[in-house]
Amino acid sequence: MKKKHIFFITITVFAMVAIIVTIFLFNRKLELPKLETDDILSVHYHTSSDDFQQLDIEEFLVYYNQIYDIRNNKEGAGTTAHRRIIIELKDGQKIGICNSGDQFEVNFTKSNGERCQYWGKQQEIANMLYHGVYEIN
């Protein structure tokens, strides 16, 4: 009888630990790189037809810092981007924001070399990607 109790307790503890670890891994809050004006060399908008537009860094950061509904895109799902915003950082890194459906993808490389692709939403950035302007009248 004692062996059954020990076995049951061991299995229960193992299951609880597994559940806690799973919850922790899946509920990690995904975050985009934190950016300040001093971190950025330039921000520009490109289209597939090689249109190029330099964007104001401070104005762009207002919208970048409002990106929400950030979700992992490990499989690289989505359509081929025809428009993108490229953020060139002073340390040589680049952050790309590409159009895809009713959202956009933000891709970057972490300091440990890990490549990240996240979905995100923010209306003015979506407007820039699809229409070339932040605000639509």
Side-chain angles (χ1 to χ4, degrees):
M1 188 71 158
K2 206 174 198 184
K3 287 183 181 179
K4 284 184 179 181
H5 282 32
I6 293 172
F7 178 75
F8 178 73
I9 291 171
T10 303
I11 295 298
T12 303
V13 168
F14 179 74
M16 288 174 43
V17 168
I19 290 169
I20 290 169
V21 167
T22 302
I23 289 170
F24 176 74
L25 289 175
F26 285 105
N27 285 336
R28 275 189 322 177
K29 183 176 180 190
L30 300 176
E31 292 184 355
L32 299 176
K34 301 290 184 213
L35 297 177
E36 295 182 18
T37 306
D38 294 341
D39 301 327
I40 300 174
L41 183 62
S42 68
V43 179
H44 41 274
Y45 166 75
H46 286 271
T47 67
S48 58
S49 61
D50 288 333
D51 289 337
F52 175 87
Q53 179 182 352
Q54 191 75 28
L55 302 179
D56 180 77
I57 293 171
E58 290 183 15
E59 182 180 19
F60 173 77
L61 277 180
V62 168
Y63 304 128
Y64 176 86
N65 289 324
Q66 295 173 1
I67 294 175
Y68 66 98
D69 197 16
I70 299 169
R71 296 168 326 281
N72 213 333
N73 182 15
K74 282 191 177 192
E75 295 82 35
T79 58
T80 302
H82 298 288
R83 297 170 183 90
R84 67 185 74 238
I85 296 171
I86 305 295
I87 307 158
E88 293 186 55
L89 304 178
K90 290 180 180 176
D91 68 4
Q93 298 271 357
K94 290 184 181 180
I95 299 172
I97 302 177
C98 309
N99 68 302
S100 186
D102 68 340
Q103 55 196 348
F104 49 80
E105 178 188 293
V106 181
N107 53 66
F108 58 95
T109 304
K110 290 184 177 180
S111 60
N112 65 4
E114 178 187 357
R115 186 81 178 138
C116 297
Q117 294 177 269
Y118 295 156
W119 294 119
K121 293 183 180 182
Q122 201 288 329
Q123 189 60 54
E124 284 77 12
I125 290 176
N127 289 345
M128 178 58 71
L129 288 168
Y130 290 100
H131 306 290
V133 294
Y134 289 123
E135 295 184 25
I136 300 175
N137 295 330

